[in-house]
Amino acid sequence: MPLITAIKPQKRKDFFNVFLDGSFSFSISALDLISQHLKIGQEIAADQVALISDEALASKMFERTLFYLSRRPHSKFEIETYLKRKFSNRAKESVFKRVILKLEDYHLIDDEEFTRWLFEGRQRGPRAKGERFIRSELYNKKIPKEIIDKVLKEEGSPDWRYIADDLARKKLSHYKNLGFQEKRKKITSFLLRRGFDWELVSSIVDETLKDR
């Protein structure tokens, strides 16, 4: 059976590299190292090495995901994409599934809450968006349509006219030296790109450019 010949700390805090028969085998957290009762000079069966290695990698993936989520919420699709980009060459599909299930158990993956967060955030400030843009963004993050419809129904319809009007008036200040038609074209294009409906955009542009 393979023999643990060295356990060396990594530069990363609380992680260790485990060497079997003189060669690096896997890395493991301090907590897992203790819980697995691993020590130098210990013989360990090959199948146990695989199990411990998978568990250690799952712990590392979970920790990395916590850091990823500390910046902002993410959809399940974004988290899966992140993990596969970081660990696709090391983790088996079963390990990916185990990590995702653990994240769901801890309510760290919740597409409904993510949709609510994104929907609320996209209504405010100079980067506010219209419903069409928000829906498209959520679809791109693989949020199911039924979740999007449910959240938007529960949140109620924002005052899209107010949001679009505020954006248009602020944008108009950048076009003071342009002619009327050029202003109209630029503001119309701007609001359509932000995901507001054509009928609303047309009305807002007429209002914004009145007497200007």
Side-chain angles (χ1 to χ4, degrees), residues 26-199:
F26 56 88
S27 62
I28 190 169
S29 70
L31 185 62
D32 287 336
L33 183 68
I34 294 169
S35 67
Q36 295 290 343
H37 308 291
L38 300 180
K39 57 186 178 181
I40 296 173
Q42 176 184 351
E43 288 188 330
I44 183 169
D47 57 347
Q48 189 181 358
V49 172
L51 288 173
I52 293 173
S53 180
D54 284 350
E55 188 59 43
L57 184 54
S59 293
K60 181 177 285 189
M61 291 165 69
F62 185 80
E63 183 189 77
R64 290 289 291 273
T65 305
L66 293 182
F67 177 73
Y68 181 59
L69 286 166
S70 69
R71 303 173 189 177
R72 69 163 177 85
H74 290 276
S75 70
K76 181 177 181 178
F77 170 74
E78 287 179 310
I79 292 171
E80 289 175 334
T81 301
Y82 169 79
L83 286 174
K84 287 182 178 179
R85 186 175 71 247
K86 293 290 185 181
F87 297 95
S88 62
N89 62 332
R90 287 185 281 166
K92 296 180 289 192
E93 189 63 30
S94 59
V95 177
F96 282 114
K97 288 180 179 178
R98 188 189 315 171
V99 174
I100 293 297
L101 285 173
K102 185 177 180 180
L103 290 165
E104 290 176 331
D105 286 343
Y106 279 87
H107 304 288
L108 294 170
I109 290 179
D110 188 329
D111 278 348
E112 189 171 315
E113 284 303 311
F114 172 78
T115 299
R116 189 168 284 108
W117 169 82
L118 189 142
F119 182 63
E120 291 174 354
R122 293 295 187 266
Q123 298 172 38
R124 297 190 294 269
R127 300 179 68 84
K129 307 292 193 298
E131 183 176 347
R132 183 163 48 81
F133 185 102
I134 296 170
R135 281 183 174 273
S136 177
E137 185 175 10
L138 288 166
Y139 289 143
N140 287 337
K141 295 179 187 300
K142 308 303 181 190
I143 304 297
K145 183 178 184 300
E146 56 269 24
I147 290 180
I148 298 173
D149 290 341
K150 178 187 176 185
V151 169
L152 267 59
K153 183 178 180 181
E154 289 176 352
E155 292 294 316
S157 182
D159 189 342
W160 297 116
R161 170 170 285 277
Y162 174 83
I163 295 170
D165 182 70
D166 184 58
L167 288 170
R169 292 182 186 282
K170 287 175 179 175
K171 198 68 174 175
L172 184 63
S173 64
H174 298 286
Y175 303 141
K176 289 184 291 188
N177 298 325
L178 298 180
F180 178 86
Q181 289 301 330
E182 194 62 22
K183 287 179 183 176
R184 183 181 186 85
K185 180 180 176 182
K186 284 187 174 293
I187 295 177
T188 297
S189 178
F190 167 72
L191 291 177
L192 289 175
R193 287 198 307 274
R194 287 295 180 96
F196 295 96
D197 293 333
W198 167 254
E199 187 176 342

